[in-house]
């Protein structure tokens, strides 16, 4: 387990709070609108509750014509702003490799790390939506995106490691006189995350990340995937944390939770967003993913074709955790039992849902030994 963001056995990030719609494909009227005042209020609430980090989504346009992701705050600037308004919450930023240079990322991450006294984190993504890249005049290469990502990562790490100026020549980049100052506060470096799920994405994450993501469909396959991902990373001398993304509905009774989930994710599902999402992802699959030689690639393709198994308002690959506070704890205990270190939490409307989760589920998670009672560390934000 990494020691980034403390020592809880099962850690939490808030996922997608910078985007309208958050990370739920729903047209329910109370869905997340990502108004700035709400984002701040939510971040401060999460900060006081001991949630480990915010994980925004880097987006440049919405899912087709949908409300979902139509509006999104940019992640580096948001992290600096929220970092100044919180005390302990980790602040991930998300960099699209083909759009952000390593020199910019190194300086921006260091800036956020200084603003927050060591709370910055970097999610490296290689992209999947060609429509967004076209906005920057950049063409996506589905086959090479993770090779470029690894090259980008090496330059970034060299920059934030300090040392003499250097040049870099590779298939992807020709950089001259590279240097960055200040360096990040966190040593050896701020945590790096990657959520690639194709075989190329997983190979990249195994070499570059402290936190990897996988998708969760059932305990057995997820346990196998976690074991496989750790083995892959071990080949590079690494032992990353492994997380999943979870959509949570927590209510006093299971019936209430299930009915609410059905209401927003089935009755009010945003089918057009889902269709756009699948179409765009399908179009950028690497040849190796299409040919499905590796288990990860077969799973990726299956996920794109997924029908019926979960409500359509539930993002493909996102694990729904629906039930009472005790159900939530049971589920998370099992997740921890198969080797997961935490999850990126999603709620339909974070501000409506987080207080009950904090009030009822968090103390039970402490009693179950998955988390410790949160006390704001002395000196934070004084
Ligand atoms: C937790 C999580 C966060 C992600 N954040 C972003 C993001 O901010 N921007 C983006 O373009 N893709 C994001 N992705 C998509 C991944 O980078 C990746 O493209 C996706 O998981 C599919 O894997 P593949 O690229 O190996 O096919 C995210 C995925 C997950 C699971």
């Amino acid at each position: 387990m990494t020691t980034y963001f403390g020592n809880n056995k099962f850690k939490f990030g808030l996922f997608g709070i910078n985007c309208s719609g958050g990370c739920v494909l729903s047209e329910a009227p109370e869905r997340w609108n990502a108004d700035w005042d709400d984002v701040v209020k939510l971040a401060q609430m999460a900060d006081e509750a001991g949630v480990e980090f915010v994980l925004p989504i880097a987006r440049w346009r919405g899912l087709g014509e949908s409300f979902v992701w139509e509006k999104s705050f940019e992640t580096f600037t948001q992290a600096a702003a929220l970092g100044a308004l919180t005390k302990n919450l980790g602040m991930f930023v998300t960099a699209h490799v083909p759009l952000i240079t390593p020199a910019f990322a190194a300086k921006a991450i260091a800036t956020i790390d200084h603003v927050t006294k060591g709370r910055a984190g970097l999610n490296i993504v290689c992209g999947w939506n060609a429509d967004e890249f076209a906005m920057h005049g950049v063409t996506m290469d589905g086959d090479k995106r993770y090779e470029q990502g690894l090259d980008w990562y090496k330059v970034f790490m060299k920059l934030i490691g300090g040392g003499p100026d250097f040049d870099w020549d590779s298939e992807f980049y020709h950089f001259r006189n590279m240097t960055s100052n200040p360096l990040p506060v966190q040593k050896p470096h701020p945590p790096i995350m990657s959520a690639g799920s194709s075989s190329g994405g997983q190979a990249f994450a195994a070499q570059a990340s402290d936190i990897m993501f996988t998708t969760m469909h059932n305990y057995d396959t997820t346990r196998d995937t976690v074991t496989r991902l750790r083995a892959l990373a071990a080949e590079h001398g690494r032992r990353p944390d492994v997380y999943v993304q979870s959509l949570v509905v927590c209510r006093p009774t299971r019936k209430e939770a299930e009915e609410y989930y059905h209401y927003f994710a089935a009755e009010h599902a945003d089918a057009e967003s889902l269709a756009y999402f699948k179409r765009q992802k399908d179009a950028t699959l690497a040849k190796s993913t299409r040919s499905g030689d590796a288990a990860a690639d077969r799973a990726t393709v299956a996920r794109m074709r997924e029908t019926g198994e979960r409500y359509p308002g539930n993002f493909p690959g996102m694990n729904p955790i629906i039930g009472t506070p005790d159900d939530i704890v049971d589920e998370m205990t099992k997740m921890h039992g198969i080797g997961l270190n935490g999850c990126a939490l999603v709620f339909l409307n974070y501000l409506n849902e987080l207080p009950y989760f904090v009030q009822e589920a968090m103390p039970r998670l402490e009693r179950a030994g998955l988390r410790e009672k949160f006390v704001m560390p002395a000196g934070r934000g004084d």
Side-chain angles (χ1 to χ4, degrees):
M1 191 179 83
T2 73
T3 53
Y4 294 112
F5 308 129
N7 292 317
N8 278 329
K9 287 184 186 159
F10 200 77
K11 294 179 188 172
F12 292 138
L14 275 183
F15 185 34
I17 69 171
N18 62 316
C19 299
S20 57
C23 219
V24 186
L25 299 167
S26 176
E27 293 180 332
E30 69 272 44
R31 63 196 169 174
W32 183 242
N33 195 36
D35 289 328
W36 179 248
D37 288 349
D38 286 345
V39 172
V40 172
K41 207 165 151 189
L42 176 66
Q44 291 176 335
M45 187 188 287
D47 195 32
E48 293 294 331
V51 168
E52 275 79 0
F53 57 84
V54 166
L55 175 58
I57 306 176
R59 290 273 66 98
W60 300 96
R61 50 162 299 125
L63 284 177
E65 301 306 311
S66 162
F67 170 88
V68 180
W69 300 348
E70 180 182 46
K71 169 175 84 179
S72 65
F73 291 111
E74 190 284 318
T75 70
F76 283 75
T77 42
Q78 175 181 277
L82 287 183
L85 297 168
T86 51
K87 300 174 188 161
N88 191 62
L89 196 58
M91 289 293 156
F92 271 96
V93 303
T94 302
H96 277 114
V97 162
L99 307 183
I100 304 273
T101 66
F104 176 84
K107 196 169 265 293
I109 282 280
T111 304
I112 298 162
D113 216 33
H114 281 260
V115 168
T116 59
K117 299 190 171 69
R119 293 187 275 134
L122 171 64
N123 179 22
I124 304 177
V125 302
C126 294
W128 53 267
N129 187 356
D131 283 354
E132 290 185 314
F133 283 41
M135 293 171 64
H136 298 265
V138 172
T139 309
M140 273 197 71
D141 181 346
D143 288 337
K144 293 260 181 179
R145 60 197 173 122
Y146 282 107
E147 283 171 49
Q148 182 180 353
L150 194 59
D151 205 41
W152 187 102
Y153 162 79
K154 288 176 183 166
V155 180
F156 172 80
M157 291 304 280
K158 204 166 157 61
L159 277 168
I160 64 164
D165 294 9
F166 64 95
D167 294 341
W168 189 270
D169 288 294
S170 67
E171 179 183 350
F172 302 101
Y173 298 115
H174 300 283
F175 294 133
R176 292 288 167 268
N177 305 318
M178 300 295 276
T179 183
S180 199
N181 189 356
L183 301 178
V185 174
Q186 292 176 89
K187 301 296 176 205
H189 55 78
I192 295 188
M193 168 186 290
S194 173
S197 62
S198 59
S199 58
Q202 290 183 354
F204 166 78
Q207 294 173 73
S209 64
D210 305 297
I211 296 176
M212 300 172 89
F213 267 83
T214 184
T215 49
M216 177 149 174
H217 289 264
N218 61 57
Y219 292 112
D220 286 339
T221 55
T222 308
R223 181 192 291 108
D224 293 348
T225 309
V226 172
T227 308
R228 195 167 45 73
L229 289 177
R230 289 241 164 78
L232 208 57
E235 288 174 22
H236 302 280
R238 309 180 70 104
R239 196 182 186 290
D241 281 358
V242 184
Y243 280 55
V244 292
Q245 357 155 28
S246 300
L247 170 62
V248 175
V249 183
C250 184
R251 289 285 185 280
T253 66
R254 194 174 295 174
K255 185 166 178 291
E256 283 170 88
E258 283 171 356
E259 282 177 0
Y260 191 57
Y261 177 45
H262 186 267
Y263 152 79
F264 71 76
E267 290 165 44
H268 288 277
D270 181 351
E272 278 179 31
S273 289
L274 181 61
Y276 176 87
F277 178 74
K278 289 187 174 190
R279 207 165 49 243
Q280 294 304 103
K281 289 207 99 162
D282 224 20
T284 50
L285 291 181
K287 283 191 202 81
S288 55
T289 304
R290 282 180 203 291
S291 69
D293 295 336
D297 294 322
R298 284 194 296 281
T300 296
V301 172
R303 222 167 26 252
M304 288 299 97
R305 312 274 183 270
E306 201 174 74
T307 49
E309 189 193 331
R310 286 174 178 166
Y311 295 149
N314 196 117
F315 251 97
M318 190 171 293
N319 166 43
I321 306 182
I322 315 296
T324 65
D326 288 322
D327 291 334
I328 307 288
V329 175
D330 285 351
E331 190 80 13
M332 290 184 177
T333 304
K334 286 186 204 149
M335 289 162 73
H336 177 253
I338 59 169
L340 292 169
N341 302 94
C343 61
L345 297 170
V346 169
F347 301 94
L348 177 69
N349 179 312
Y350 301 85
L351 265 185
N352 290 353
E353 304 284 321
L354 190 66
Y356 187 70
F357 180 84
V358 168
Q359 184 191 307
E360 297 297 330
M362 299 273 262
R364 286 170 168 81
L365 288 162
E366 290 158 20
R367 290 198 287 278
L370 289 188
R371 298 180 58 85
E372 285 167 18
K373 189 168 176 51
F374 179 67
V375 181
M376 188 63 76
R380 276 289 193 201
D382 296 343

